[in-house]
Amino acid sequence: MHADHTMGVVPMLRNVLFAPSIDPNAYVPVNPPPRIEVYGPAGIRTFIRSILNMTLTKTGEKYIVHELLRDEDVATPCEPPEVLHSSELVGRDIRCSEDGFWRGFTQGVGALGDVVVDAGPILHRDPCLGYIFREPEAPKRKIVILGDTYDPSPILPLCTSPSPSLLIHEATDAHIPREISPQNKRTPEVVLRTALARGHSIPEMAGEFAKTVGAEKLVLNHIGGRFPAPRHGRDERTHVIREIERQATEAWQGSAGGSGRYAMAAWDFMRVAVPAPPSMPPNETHPIESWGVDPSEGLVYVNNKRRKW
Ligand SMILES: [Zn+2]
C-alpha cells in the first residue's frame, strides 16, 4: 500500500471510467457490469473509495475492488450500500488459504489459453505481495511480479514447477564502484545495510532469487532515484545502469554474460515479450522473437540476449 505503488491508481481509474454523460436523456443501464476490477491488499478498497470521494470524482462507468486478506486483516465493508462510492460495486473479500497464499483468485482468457493469477506474501518492512500470472495448460508460461522486498522467499512455492518465464524483481539500491561513479562514497557494506534496513534489495539479491527459482528472464525494477534513467548516449548514467544489470546477471548466471543472458533494468514503457516455446505455433500476438531497444544507447535485446544495435 506504499504511496509509490498506489498513488497512480485513482488517476488511472478516472481515465478508464470516463466522466459521466452531461446529456440528461443519455441511456443509463440498470446493474451495469464493472468496467475494471482492482485486486490488492487490505485497505486498497478504502484508499480508492476515500480518494474518489474526497476529490468529488464522478465517473460514467463502474469499478469494483477485491481485497486479498490475510487472517489478521480487516475487510473494508461494502455494507450498508451507502458506504460505497457512487461508481463502486460490491467486491469480494478474498481470504488466503491456510498456507498463506491466494491461488487462482482470478483468471482471464489469454491468446493461447486461460491465464490464472496467484498471489503470496514477500518480506518488506510492511506487508507486501507478489503476483504470479500463469497458463495452467500449454504453453505454461509464468510471469512473477514482485513488490518491494528484501527477501521474497515466502512466495517461493508459487514460483517453482514450472519456473518463471520472466521474473520482475526490485533492485532499489546498488554499490557502484568509483571507476564508474567517482562521487560514490558508500562502501558495499553500507549500501547493503541501508537497503536491508529499508526493506529493499540490491541487484545481487534479485539475481540470486532468479537463480533459485530458475527464471528464464530477469527484469529489475523499482531502481532508486539516485540512479536516474540514462539520457541519450553513453554517459555515466548509462554505465551505472549497465553495472546494476551486470551485478544481477552475475548472481543469476555466474560470470556476467557467459550464458548470453542478461538481466535488464526496466525503463518507462519497456516491453518484454515472453514467447511460447518453439513447439507452439507462433501467432501475431506472440512472436517467437522478443526484442526491445534500450533508447539510452545502441543496445537491442533479442530474447533477453544483448546485441549491438
Ligand atoms: Zn516502493
Side-chain angles (χ1 to χ4, degrees):
M1 285 302 298
H2 282 171
D4 54 324
H5 299 258
T6 52
M7 296 303 282
V9 170
V10 168
M12 188 205 67
L13 278 177
R14 285 186 75 235
N15 283 335
V16 172
L17 299 175
F18 306 109
S21 172
I22 53 166
D23 176 2
N25 299 316
Y27 166 70
V28 180
V30 182
N31 298 329
R35 165 95 181 158
I36 188 164
E37 300 186 49
V38 178
Y39 293 84
I44 186 70
R45 188 182 291 149
T46 309
F47 174 80
I48 292 173
R49 191 184 287 169
S50 307
I51 305 288
L52 288 176
N53 280 332
M54 294 188 75
T55 52
L56 310 175
T57 302
K58 305 264 187 298
T59 67
E61 299 204 54
K62 302 284 187 184
Y63 76 95
I64 195 165
V65 180
H66 310 291
E67 287 190 335
L68 303 176
L69 302 170
R70 303 166 305 157
D71 289 342
E72 60 266 49
D73 290 332
V74 178
T76 307
C78 288
E79 295 272 324
E82 302 83 69
V83 301
L84 298 172
H85 180 267
S86 57
S87 300
E88 183 183 359
L89 300 174
V90 176
R92 288 191 290 147
D93 299 328
I94 308 171
R95 291 280 168 192
C96 65
S97 56
E98 237 167 54
D99 54 7
F101 297 121
W102 295 264
R103 285 192 183 80
F105 62 82
T106 187
Q107 66 180 71
V109 180
L112 297 178
D114 286 348
V115 176
V116 171
V117 190
D118 312 314
I122 55 178
L123 298 178
H124 185 42
R125 62 178 193 272
D126 288 307
C128 196
L129 299 178
Y131 294 89
I132 289 101
F133 298 79
R134 60 185 168 88
E135 292 165 320
E137 309 300 331
K140 299 200 171 178
R141 288 170 294 183
K142 182 189 265 187
I143 299 175
V144 175
I145 304 176
L146 303 179
D148 288 354
T149 189
Y150 63 90
D151 177 9
S153 55
I155 205 173
L156 250 174
L158 299 183
C159 299
T160 50
S161 54
S163 51
S165 323
L166 168 64
L167 167 67
I168 301 175
H169 191 302
E170 69 133 288
T172 302
D173 209 348
H175 174 259
I176 306 298
R178 282 265 180 90
E179 305 89 87
I180 296 170
S181 190
Q183 70 275 24
N184 177 42
K185 294 187 174 61
R186 302 184 306 159
T187 64
E189 294 72 29
V190 166
V191 170
L192 179 60
R193 193 169 359 111
T194 312
L196 291 176
R198 293 182 177 149
H200 290 300
S201 295
I202 60 172
E204 192 183 346
M205 293 157 68
E208 276 167 8
F209 190 73
K211 186 179 179 182
T212 302
V213 298
E216 287 165 37
K217 297 184 181 203
L218 171 60
V219 169
L220 309 171
N221 71 353
H222 203 269
I223 291 162
R226 68 168 73 233
F227 311 116
R231 291 168 291 224
H232 194 73
R234 289 190 71 85
D235 56 0
E236 185 186 316
R237 292 179 175 194
T238 307
H239 292 296
V240 168
I241 295 295
R242 293 289 88 80
E243 171 64 12
I244 289 171
E245 293 175 337
R246 189 198 65 75
Q247 293 174 12
T249 303
E250 195 167 290
W252 173 38
Q253 296 286 326
S255 67
S259 64
R261 286 185 182 191
Y262 285 84
M264 293 185 278
W267 61 83
D268 290 347
F269 308 111
M270 181 192 211
R271 286 169 173 229
V272 180
V274 180
S279 56
M280 298 286 295
N283 65 23
E284 279 177 29
T285 7
H286 295 82
I288 286 298
E289 284 231 313
S290 72
W291 64 283
V293 179
D294 182 339
S296 68
E297 57 175 324
L299 278 182
V300 59
Y301 295 93
V302 179
N303 287 347
N304 218 38
K305 294 191 166 88
R306 191 190 291 171
R307 293 181 193 167
K308 266 278 172 244
W309 183 232

